[in-house]
Amino acid sequence: MIHTKTTPLRDSILRHLTYSFGKDPEHAILEDWRMALSFAVRDRIVDAWFKATQKTYETGAKRVYYLSMEFLIGRLLEDGIVNLELVDEAKSALAEYGKDYHEVLNDEPDAALGNGGLGRLAACFLESLSTIGCPAHGYGIRYEHGLFRQSFVDGRQVEMPEHWLEQRHAWEFERPEVRYRIGFGGHVDTRGETVRWYPSEEVEAEAYDTPVVGWKGRWANTLRLWSGRAIHPFDLDAFNHGDYTRAAAPEALARTISRVLYPDDTTEQGKELRLKQEYFLTGAALRDILRRFNNQFGDLRRLPEKVSIQLNDTHPAIAGPELVRILHDERGLSFQESVEIARGTLSYTNHTLLPEALETWGEGLFGKLLPRHLQIVDQIDHEHAKNFPKRTQSMRSDNLVKMGPLSFVMAHHVNGVSALHTELMKTTVFEELHNLHPERIVNQTNGVTPRRWLLACNPRLAGLITSSIGEDWVDDLGQLSKLEPFVEDAGWLDKYSTIKRSNKVELSNWMSSAHGIHADPDMLFDVQIKRLHEYKRQHLNILETIAHWLEIRDNPNADWTPRLKLFAGKAAPGYFFAKDIIRLINDAAAVINSDPMTSKFLKIAFLPNYNVTLAERLVPAADLSEQISTAGKEASGTGNMKFALNGAPTVGTLDGANVEIREHVGAENFFLFGMTAEQVMERRTTEAHARKAIEADPRLKRALDEIRAGRFSPSEPGRYEGIVSNLEGADYFLVCSDFTDYWRAQREVDASFKDTLGWARMAALNTARSGWFSSDRTIRGYMNDIWKAESLLEK
Ligand code: 26W
């Protein structure tokens, strides 16, 4: 073990620049400096990584495996530097070579291997698992192309491929020795007791490892991502016959499986390649898990004792049938025992109740691709029916394989991601299964890592907190409550507000340099950043903004609170309604921002290509957090937690984790509006609920009429007919019914923001009382209630 800790960082940087990249400082380009600094930091992480791996083996500790189709990692260099407490040393080391720290950091591409909440949660969880010192692996797919890059052409979203691997990637170690053959298709051969699956097609899964370091570099776990490669990459015979495409086909075909992330985050497409990706990830992960287990423990009956596998939604749910197949078909355990061992090892997290997001596969496609697994699913379903004759629902009805019920039946625990969501799981999608297995569903309210989402992205605030209460809050976020006495001190509050304003100035400078958007930092920065979806109601936000604009035009001399409405977020490429909402926001911005009567009071900006790095820029500078989903639809939300921690009070509904945020920060520090989940279900039954709401609120009617009349699309008046008629008609997400109360809440925000001391107090109390929303607390919940796993640091 070479201890790199002792070598000054600047020497490691120079050593890597010279010997890893063959450059001297004079000729090095920005990317060389970024890579040299990354390798210097990585060296230190590898030490912790080796120690962690060794300790896990020595202690024979239980291991956690987190299977996810998405890991929305973002950048890793700053995360490594912050977790190793090397910020100052890195800044001065680079300065010695005349390099700017932030310029070097900005050269790193985001690893955008996820769509939104589910993927980012997985990344926060891995960092918390390492900070706590819980032995764990993340298993995912090494997509060549992450989530598409978004730009706007005439206000419309345009998607372009994302090329994160085009630049050198400092954080992965290729593992050519770790490869598994994953089969598809073919047929099943049954001889008496022995059943054999003979796949007709095989690809190889090759491992790429990324160390995930925790706070103070005390522990590091592994994120293992699989990349598809051909078993026989090149067909020389075809080549010799001049058929070059066919010669290269095997390689191209195999790479397709890990080529690109599916950009849908709520609607399952039922595409064959998606199912192949899910089995590719799961099949390779289980092989790797069982290899490691066999080397150490051998007896498969001990699997539940030494291994806990978490399914991040149903996307890796094939793990149930696959584990049974390996234990029964390949290892000869009885079917019954195989199911029990599998169930004792697997647990499943549900992240959405949206019907269109619950994965089901046609039995035709499923049976063609995974013929043996279909048989096993049928047998599992049959066994379950036998054990619970009263049940009415099945995972195998309507010629479908329903991955939600399958995951539920094959898991020892099933959890929701907020208290409200978990209760709704019991009374909606999993009602019958919950009644059959009343102990199985538990809640684990989401969390976010305070290292990335406070210490790293908001160093000014982190500095004030540490100078006030010490630094233990970084891995014990509950200690933020020690700030409460400081909130009563006007001087301290002034420092707090000054920090927020400095963050806003920094964001304004970046917006003008990066996008030519000029914003007055004294405006109220009102921020809604998340994927575009009707249930998240970005259209309610722009509707209120348009009504607000019209009202300002009516009373231009009134004492309005100047507001900057900031939007960011991607729409799934096939989700046209969501894309129309983006266009409407951009069209409204064009008209409203150029209105001399109102421009000092109201400005709108939609920032393109929302990703983790953009969120890290926006969250510290926000004054107001928009969490306005239709109650009962947002399983939890995690952006809401990041904003509260960074001192942006919420305007929101009683949905997902908003409920718990309001409970923790205090109702007086939260701008609540709208119907509850129960009222929503009630209101839906009301005839013409939207028309009634519109008739009852002239502001709403006027805003809709202006949109329909083409006020924001003069060249194409009917452009938003779809949105307006939907809102006047079905309005399934109750935008119109919640409008009036939303307007009321926003005017309350206007009034509160004028009281700068009162607002600062409210913001600071949001920070002080949001410690519970650390992903460390969430992970400890999983460790105690679900995985029965322990930290090897706190032993
Ligand atoms: C099959 C297509 C697909 C892909 C992704 C369907 C559904 C998903 C995810 C479950 C969607 C998602 O990201 N859900 C979000 O998960 C977060 C983490 O738990 C929650 O905070 C959000 O409320 C939830 O929308």
Side-chain angles (χ1 to χ4, degrees):
M1 182 82 79
I2 311 133
H3 289 298
T4 54
K5 269 206 178 50
T6 51
T7 326
L9 196 61
R10 80 173 189 290
D11 299 351
S12 315
I13 295 171
L14 187 61
R15 185 168 47 78
H16 278 298
L17 197 65
T18 313
Y19 300 108
S20 304
F21 302 103
K23 288 286 184 72
D24 60 27
E26 287 65 62
H27 299 91
I29 60 169
L30 186 59
E31 186 179 317
D32 295 325
W33 287 106
R34 188 242 314 161
M35 289 300 285
L37 174 59
S38 301
F39 274 31
V41 171
R42 194 181 76 173
D43 293 350
R44 287 157 173 78
I45 293 174
V46 167
D47 291 346
W49 198 18
F50 283 10
K51 271 208 301 286
T53 307
Q54 200 161 7
K55 184 147 190 196
T56 305
Y57 267 104
E58 280 160 13
T59 58
K62 183 167 192 176
R63 296 166 184 269
V64 170
Y65 294 104
Y66 201 82
L67 271 55
S68 180
M69 285 288 280
E70 305 184 20
F71 286 95
L72 194 41
I73 298 166
R75 292 171 172 169
L76 280 172
L77 178 51
E78 182 176 35
D79 184 68
I81 291 170
V82 166
N83 265 309
L84 294 174
E85 299 178 287
L86 292 171
V87 176
D88 298 338
E89 194 179 345
K91 282 181 178 169
S92 55
L94 287 172
E96 275 187 50
Y97 300 113
K99 294 297 156 193
D100 172 70
Y101 176 70
H102 289 289
E103 196 195 349
V104 170
L105 261 53
N106 279 331
D107 179 65
E108 182 181 356
D110 268 41
L113 307 181
N115 279 285
L118 171 140
R120 182 56 234 176
L121 186 83
C124 283
F125 276 11
L126 289 188
E127 197 267 358
S128 281
L129 282 159
S130 292
T131 291
I132 291 168
C134 176
H137 280 69
Y139 280 112
I141 293 181
R142 180 181 181 267
Y143 301 105
E144 267 179 65
H145 304 288
L147 188 61
F148 63 85
R149 281 184 297 127
Q150 175 198 52
S151 63
F152 298 133
V153 177
D154 306 331
R156 291 164 185 255
Q157 171 179 296
V158 172
E159 302 92 21
M160 279 121 21
E162 190 280 327
H163 301 284
W164 72 297
L165 290 173
E166 234 159 49
Q167 284 174 278
R168 279 173 287 176
H169 177 38
W171 303 102
E172 66 178 10
F173 293 89
E174 183 175 5
R175 301 297 194 208
E177 76 282 8
V178 182
R179 296 182 189 183
Y180 299 99
R181 292 189 176 196
I182 308 300
F184 299 102
H187 68 282
V188 176
D189 196 10
T190 308
R191 294 173 198 285
E193 280 307 290
T194 52
V195 184
R196 272 286 169 280
W197 171 34
Y198 294 94
S200 57
E201 178 201 343
E202 282 193 316
V203 295
E204 211 164 46
E206 182 189 7
Y208 287 75
D209 288 352
T210 292
V212 179
V213 70
W215 177 233
K216 288 187 183 292
R218 293 182 293 214
W219 191 271
N221 282 320
T222 305
L223 170 58
R224 179 160 278 185
L225 300 178
W226 301 104
S227 179
R229 47 177 308 127
I231 293 160
H232 307 294
F234 185 64
D235 182 337
L236 187 60
D237 188 45
F239 183 87
N240 293 340
H241 289 85
D243 186 341
Y244 306 127
T245 343
R246 196 159 58 77
E251 180 64 17
L253 209 64
R255 279 177 62 188
T256 305
I257 202 154
S258 56
R259 181 88 69 178
V260 64
L261 165 75
Y262 270 85
D264 316 285
D265 81 327
T266 50
T267 314
E268 58 114 10
Q269 301 294 331
K271 294 276 188 317
E272 176 168 339
L273 178 57
R274 171 74 180 190
L275 180 55
K276 287 180 88 172
Q277 288 184 333
E278 294 184 354
Y279 181 62
F280 174 75
L281 156 64
T282 309
L286 284 174
R287 290 255 176 250
D288 201 41
I289 291 167
L290 290 174
R291 174 192 55 76
R292 193 174 296 108
F293 173 83
N294 285 328
N295 291 352
Q296 215 174 349
F297 304 107
D299 176 3
L300 283 163
R301 289 176 185 76
R302 296 186 65 198
L303 197 64
E305 178 202 334
K306 291 298 182 181
V307 168
S308 219
I309 299 174
Q310 190 67 33
L311 306 178
N312 200 16
D313 217 282
T314 59
H315 311 155
I318 193 70
E322 173 67 358
L323 193 45
V324 170
R325 185 185 72 81
I326 296 170
L327 297 177
H328 179 60
D329 294 6
E330 297 183 4
R331 305 299 177 86
L333 277 73
S334 74
F335 189 86
Q336 195 48 43
E337 189 171 22
S338 303
V339 169
E340 271 150 31
I341 289 173
R343 183 179 295 122
T345 306
L346 298 170
S347 43
Y348 151 58
T349 302
N350 173 279
H351 295 268
T352 182
L353 300 175
L354 294 177
E356 67 268 28
L358 302 175
E359 287 188 300
T360 60
W361 295 100
E363 63 187 13
L365 168 59
F366 195 97
K368 183 189 80 174
L369 224 49
L370 302 165
R372 179 58 183 143
H373 298 78
L374 185 60
Q375 293 175 344
I376 291 172
V377 170
D378 286 343
Q379 202 168 341
I380 290 169
D381 188 44
H382 180 70
E383 298 283 325
H384 191 254
K386 220 169 55 195
N387 299 341
F388 300 93
K390 284 206 311 311
R391 72 167 206 178
T392 61
Q393 288 158 5
S394 151
M395 64 186 80
R396 276 292 281 121
S397 46
D398 324 316
N399 305 323
L400 294 171
V401 180
K402 298 180 175 177
M403 304 310 273
L406 171 64
S407 305
F408 190 108
V409 166
M410 283 308 293
H412 59 85
H413 277 94
V414 172
N415 77 281
V417 290
S418 77
L420 174 63
H421 170 63
T422 300
E423 288 317 303
L424 288 172
M425 283 168 65
K426 297 173 181 175
T427 56
T428 60
V429 282
F430 293 116
E431 185 178 22
E432 181 174 274
L433 285 167
H434 171 59
N435 297 335
L436 294 174
H437 308 274
E439 310 309 316
R440 199 164 292 184
I441 294 182
V442 295
N443 180 48
Q444 298 296 344
T445 296
N446 283 165
V448 298
T449 167
R451 273 71 65 185
R452 184 179 291 267
W453 297 110
L454 185 45
L455 181 56
C457 73
N458 198 343
R460 294 185 182 95
L461 179 54
L464 176 65
I465 295 171
T466 298
S467 63
S468 308
I469 62 170
E471 66 146 22
D472 293 351
W473 61 272
V474 177
D475 64 346
D476 181 10
L477 206 57
Q479 296 208 14
L480 289 181
S481 61
K482 289 181 182 170
L483 291 171
E484 294 230 21
F486 292 87
V487 173
E488 302 318 319
D489 164 2
W492 189 89
L493 268 188
D494 187 51
K495 285 191 202 137
Y496 187 95
S497 315
T498 306
I499 285 168
K500 179 60 77 176
R501 191 171 188 292
S502 309
N503 292 345
K504 292 169 72 176
V505 169
E506 187 176 326
L507 177 64
S508 303
N509 295 341
W510 177 79
M511 285 197 292
S512 60
S513 61
H515 297 291
I517 295 168
H518 305 287
D520 167 359
D522 290 320
M523 285 179 137
L524 187 160
F525 281 20
D526 170 341
V527 182
Q528 185 171 24
I529 50 177
K530 51 189 73 224
R531 287 294 295 252
L532 261 288
H533 197 285
E534 286 163 275
Y535 86 79
K536 295 173 185 282
R537 300 202 292 191
Q538 282 92 348
H539 46 342
L540 171 59
N541 189 334
I542 196 65
L543 211 53
E544 189 277 335
T545 306
I546 289 167
H548 188 194
W549 174 60
L550 294 167
E551 196 100 348
I552 295 172
R553 288 177 61 80
D554 294 348
N555 324 281
N557 306 319
D559 177 22
W560 297 102
T561 298
R563 249 185 218 241
L564 170 66
K565 282 271 185 182
L566 273 174
F567 293 88
K570 294 172 179 174
Y575 192 177
F576 300 108
F577 194 98
K579 293 173 105 166
D580 273 352
I581 294 175
I582 292 178
R583 194 178 186 192
L584 172 59
I585 295 170
N586 282 324
D587 276 352
V591 171
I592 292 175
N593 294 351
S594 57
D595 178 350
M597 279 179 67
T598 63
S599 54
K600 70 176 180 301
F601 290 133
L602 186 58
K603 190 177 179 77
I604 304 171
F606 200 125
L607 297 170
N609 203 36
Y610 179 55
N611 60 15
V612 171
T613 297
L614 181 53
E616 291 170 11
R617 286 186 201 285
L618 293 169
V619 165
D623 291 309
L624 186 69
S625 160
E626 296 271 356
Q627 309 298 333
I628 63 175
S629 53
T630 311
K633 292 297 176 189
E634 189 69 87
S636 164
T638 44
N640 47 8
M641 299 165 184
K642 296 160 188 170
F643 282 114
L645 275 170
N646 284 275
T650 305
V651 58
T653 53
L654 282 178
D655 195 18
N658 293 359
V659 176
E660 290 152 273
I661 289 174
R662 185 168 173 268
E663 281 162 8
H664 279 84
V665 303
E668 69 285 1
N669 300 309
F670 187 105
F671 296 94
L672 179 67
F673 79 95
M675 286 174 280
T676 62
E678 288 76 32
Q679 290 165 334
V680 163
M681 290 198 252
E682 162 58 34
R683 181 77 177 179
R684 280 234 179 86
T685 63
T686 313
E687 190 56 36
H689 52 77
R691 196 166 46 68
K692 288 186 181 120
I694 295 166
E695 275 155 17
D697 189 325
R699 286 193 189 95
L700 171 57
K701 181 169 183 350
R702 186 181 176 198
L704 288 168
D705 292 347
E706 290 285 353
I707 296 171
R708 168 179 273 131
R711 185 71 179 269
F712 307 104
S713 56
S715 63
E716 185 195 355
R719 179 178 294 172
Y720 296 112
E721 184 53 36
I723 290 180
V724 175
S725 54
N726 170 285
L727 291 179
E728 291 177 342
D731 188 17
Y732 181 79
F733 295 100
L734 301 171
V735 167
C736 295
S737 298
D738 264 348
F739 179 90
T740 307
D741 205 30
Y742 181 50
W743 172 274
R744 185 264 316 153
Q746 290 289 22
R747 299 297 75 77
E748 261 178 44
V749 169
D750 279 343
S752 307
F753 194 70
K754 285 190 182 315
D755 165 12
T756 40
L757 201 62
W759 186 271
R761 195 171 176 286
M762 185 186 290
L765 286 173
N766 267 268
T767 297
R769 296 174 179 174
S770 295
W772 192 74
F773 298 99
S774 165
S775 46
D776 300 349
R777 181 270 314 153
T778 311
I779 288 295
R780 288 184 195 288
Y782 279 87
M783 290 167 68
N784 300 333
D785 309 344
I786 299 178
W787 303 330
K788 309 299 180 220
E790 291 178 341
S791 157
L792 293 191
L793 276 179
E794 290 146 8
K795 273 237 185 238

